[in-house]
Amino acid sequence: MAGAVQESAALDLVAAQQGLDAQPFSRLVRARITEFGGGAATLEIDIRDELLQQHGFVHGGVLSYAADNTLTFAAATALGPAIVTGGFSIQYLRPALGRTLRARAEVVQAGRRQAVCRCDLTVIDDAGEESVCAVAQGTVLPLNAPAGGSE
């Protein structure tokens, strides 16, 4: 997201989608931001054959991408658009099978130097039922963070 949304741009759903669209990989997987604001963000990807691994599940790299970007977009609601991922961990709970991958992230804690966010990744099946397939937590840093340790 860093640099994708101009500092002067209002942070709203339209600006968030523009930031996402500025990322070539996001365009490749056809990701879209469906909710943005108030310390949270939701990203969705329609599941198609190109995003699957050899057993027919959504590839773990796609799940990681979705978690990373959604954590960062949620953090942008607290820190602004000039940010980068400091790190994140993901736990795969069950194979991701369905028609849509949905990643929902929210800010757990934010200060001047970092935001800690968590993300639930779910898949939606043809009947519209949603089931959790992975969870992630990460730290997002502003590019202009003051020197020194975290808050």
Side-chain angles (χ1 to χ4, degrees), residues 105-136:
E106 65 182 4
V107 175
V108 174
Q109 188 279 333
R112 290 181 307 131
R113 295 184 177 111
Q114 70 178 16
V116 174
C117 303
R118 69 165 278 127
C119 181
D120 292 328
L121 293 107
T122 62
V123 285
I124 304 167
D125 66 17
D126 289 332
E129 295 293 319
E130 205 169 341
S131 59
V132 176
C133 59
V135 294

Side-chain angles (χ1 to χ4, degrees), residues 31-136:
R32 61 192 176 276
I33 297 287
T34 58
E35 296 177 22
F36 179 82
T42 302
L43 180 142
E44 293 183 354
I45 300 170
D46 293 327
I47 298 171
R48 57 188 202 280
D49 287 345
E50 296 86 358
L51 304 179
L52 305 179
Q53 44 88 297
Q54 71 276 18
H55 300 295
F57 312 139
V58 176
H59 193 282
V62 175
L63 294 172
S64 289
Y65 154 82
D68 180 18
N69 256 8
T70 310
L71 290 163
T72 306
F73 274 93
T77 68
L79 299 176
I83 55 179
V84 293
T85 303
F88 77 98
S89 64
I90 187 166
Q91 298 298 311
Y92 301 106
L93 305 176
R94 66 181 48 89
L97 294 165
R99 63 174 168 80
T100 305
L101 173 65
R102 179 177 287 156
R104 288 187 187 105
E106 65 182 4
V107 175
V108 174
Q109 188 279 333
R112 290 181 307 131
R113 295 184 177 111
Q114 70 178 16
V116 174
C117 303
R118 69 165 278 127
C119 181
D120 292 328
L121 293 107
T122 62
V123 285
I124 304 167
D125 66 17
D126 289 332
E129 295 293 319
E130 205 169 341
S131 59
V132 176
C133 59
V135 294

Side-chain angles (χ1 to χ4, degrees), residues 138-151:
T139 303
V140 180
L141 310 170
L143 287 176
N144 57 353
S150 64
E151 292 184 333

